[in-house]
Amino acid sequence: LKNLEEINLSHNEISSIHDGAFYKLSKNIKEIDLSFNKIANFKEEFLWLIVDNMLNTLLNINLQNNEISEWVVADKNKSSAVMLNLNLNDNKLKSVEIKNIKIGKLSLSNNQIVDFNGTYEEIDITNNKIEKLRVSENCNIIKASNNRISELEFPTNKVQITILDFSYNNLKSTPKFNEFLKTQKNITSLDLSHNFFGFFNVDDFAEMENLKELSLSENRISEIPFGLFAHLKSLEMLNISQNNLKNIDFHMFSSLGNLKTLDVSGNALTNIDQYEQLRVMMPQLTNINIEGEF
C-alpha cells in the first residue's frame, strides 16, 4: 500500500500495538486514527518508525479515548523534519515526555497529568492536575483551564501567544507573570477567570492592542486602576463579573469603541449612575450585564 495516505481504525477493540505494526508504513501517510479503542500504553518509538520513513512534513495521529496510562519514551538523539499533530485527549496519562519530535498541536485534555515536558506550538491540557506548567519556546496557543497551576516557567526568549486560557487555576499576581503580560502584543483572547490575582497593575495590558476577549471573572478584585483597559482598542468582550468591586467608574471603558459585551454582574456595586452614558460612549455595545443588588 505504498500510496496509502490515511488509516482509520477508530471505534474498535484494539488493546495493543505490535512493535512492528508501523514498520515500513507508506511514505505518503498523512493521518492515523486509532481513537476510541482500548490501547493501554504507547511507545514513542512507534512515532519514529513512522516519521523516519515519511515524505510528508505533517502527520496527524489521533489516540483520543483509549486507556493509555503509560507513555514510553524513546531513546533518540536525533531530530525529525516532520511536524506532528497528536491527540491524546481522554486517556489515563499521569505524565508525558516527548523528545526531539516536533509537535504542532498537542491535545492532552481530560487525563490525570501531573507532569509534562515537550515542545509544542499549540497545547490543550485542559482538565488535568498540573501545578507547574513549562511554556514551550515556540508556542502560540495555550489552553490550560481546570488544573492546579500556581507556577509558570517561561522560556528565555519572549514567546508571542495568540490565545491563552488559564481559567480555573491557582494563579496569583507576581512580578514575573505581570512582566510576561506586558510582552504579549499578539494575543487576541485572554482568560484568567477563577484564579486569585486580586489586582492588576495599570500597565499590565498596555501592549495588547489586538486583544478581542478578556475575562477576569472571579479573581477577588476589589479595585480596578483607571487606565487598565485604555489601550485595548480591539476589545469586543470584557468580563469582570463575580469580583469584589463596590464602585466602577464607567468612564474607564470610554476608549473601548469596539466593545460589544460587558459583564460586571455579581459584584457589590452601590450605584450605577453613569450606566446610561455607556451606550453613548460605546455605540457598538449591545450586551450589558450588571445584575446585582444596588
Side-chain angles (χ1 to χ4, degrees):
L1 302 176
K2 62 181 182 180
N3 296 317
L4 191 66
E5 293 184 356
E6 298 181 12
I7 300 174
N8 189 342
L9 295 169
S10 64
H11 296 272
N12 280 283
E13 298 186 2
I14 299 169
S15 59
S16 63
I17 301 173
H18 191 278
D19 284 349
F22 300 123
Y23 181 63
K24 290 189 176 180
L25 188 63
S26 167
K27 293 182 178 182
N28 297 299
I29 196 71
K30 295 179 180 178
E31 184 169 338
I32 300 174
D33 190 346
L34 287 161
S35 61
F36 294 89
N37 278 287
K38 298 180 179 180
I39 300 168
N41 63 65
F42 193 87
K43 299 178 181 179
E44 192 181 78
E45 186 68 39
F46 295 152
L47 301 179
W48 284 103
L49 285 173
I50 302 169
V51 301
D52 276 348
N53 192 46
M54 284 179 58
L55 293 177
N56 300 311
T57 56
L58 179 64
L59 175 64
N60 297 301
I61 295 185
N62 189 354
L63 289 161
Q64 181 178 2
N65 226 303
N66 275 278
E67 299 175 5
I68 302 173
S69 59
E70 184 179 9
W71 182 270
V72 182
V73 179
D75 185 16
K76 294 285 185 181
N77 292 316
K78 61 178 181 177
S79 60
S80 171
V82 176
M83 179 75 75
L84 184 67
N85 290 334
L86 181 60
N87 187 343
L88 285 163
N89 291 341
D90 303 292
N91 278 281
K92 300 178 180 179
L93 287 162
K94 293 184 178 179
S95 66
V96 178
E97 182 176 6
I98 300 175
K99 291 184 176 181
N100 302 322
I101 296 179
K102 292 192 299 183
I103 301 292
K105 183 177 180 180
L106 179 61
S107 302
L108 293 167
S109 65
N110 300 317
N111 279 276
Q112 302 169 27
I113 297 173
V114 175
D115 187 48
F116 165 77
N117 193 17
T119 59
Y120 49 85
E121 292 185 357
E122 176 181 345
I123 189 169
D124 184 351
I125 203 160
T126 302
N127 197 24
N128 279 281
K129 300 179 180 180
I130 295 174
E131 296 182 3
K132 179 179 180 179
L133 180 63
R134 291 179 287 271
V135 177
S136 181
E137 186 172 312
N138 297 315
C139 72
N140 56 70
I141 295 177
I142 301 176
K143 299 177 181 179
S145 179
N146 272 299
N147 278 278
R148 303 171 182 176
I149 300 171
S150 60
E151 186 178 355
L152 297 166
E153 183 179 306
F154 302 105
T156 52
N157 295 333
K158 293 179 179 178
V159 295
Q160 288 298 314
I161 309 294
T162 56
I163 297 174
L164 180 57
D165 184 353
F166 279 145
S167 59
Y168 292 91
N169 278 287
N170 297 323
L171 290 168
K172 299 179 180 179
S173 287
T174 63
K176 187 176 180 181
F177 187 76
N178 290 82
E179 284 300 314
F180 165 74
L181 289 177
K182 293 172 186 176
T183 66
Q184 298 309 299
K185 298 181 179 182
N186 296 332
I187 195 163
T188 60
S189 178
L190 177 61
D191 192 343
L192 300 176
S193 60
H194 299 272
N195 279 281
F196 302 94
F197 283 98
F199 70 94
F200 289 93
N201 299 314
V202 68
D203 58 346
D204 281 345
F205 308 128
E207 299 296 326
M208 299 184 182
E209 293 187 356
N210 297 307
L211 190 65
K212 292 185 177 181
E213 299 178 352
L214 175 61
S215 182
L216 305 175
S217 175
E218 199 161 323
N219 263 294
R220 303 182 180 182
I221 300 171
S222 58
E223 185 177 356
I224 295 177
F226 199 95
L228 179 64
F229 309 122
H231 301 279
L232 305 182
K233 308 297 184 181
S234 302
L235 199 66
E236 297 178 359
M237 188 282 289
L238 175 61
N239 186 347
I240 52 175
S241 66
Q242 305 300 323
N243 279 293
N244 300 327
L245 297 168
K246 294 182 179 179
N247 296 290
I248 294 179
D249 185 345
F250 286 99
H251 287 99
M252 74 169 63
F253 307 126
S254 61
S255 63
L256 306 180
N258 290 307
L259 196 68
K260 298 177 181 178
T261 299
L262 174 64
D263 191 345
V264 297
S265 63
N267 281 284
L269 299 179
T270 56
N271 69 77
I272 52 171
D273 293 342
Q274 301 160 329
Y275 167 68
E276 294 299 331
Q277 302 176 30
L278 281 175
R279 295 191 185 278
V280 177
M281 292 187 289
M282 294 174 287
Q284 301 293 325
L285 193 61
T286 56
N287 188 2
I288 309 172
N289 188 354
I290 56 172
E291 181 181 357
E293 297 180 4
F294 305 101

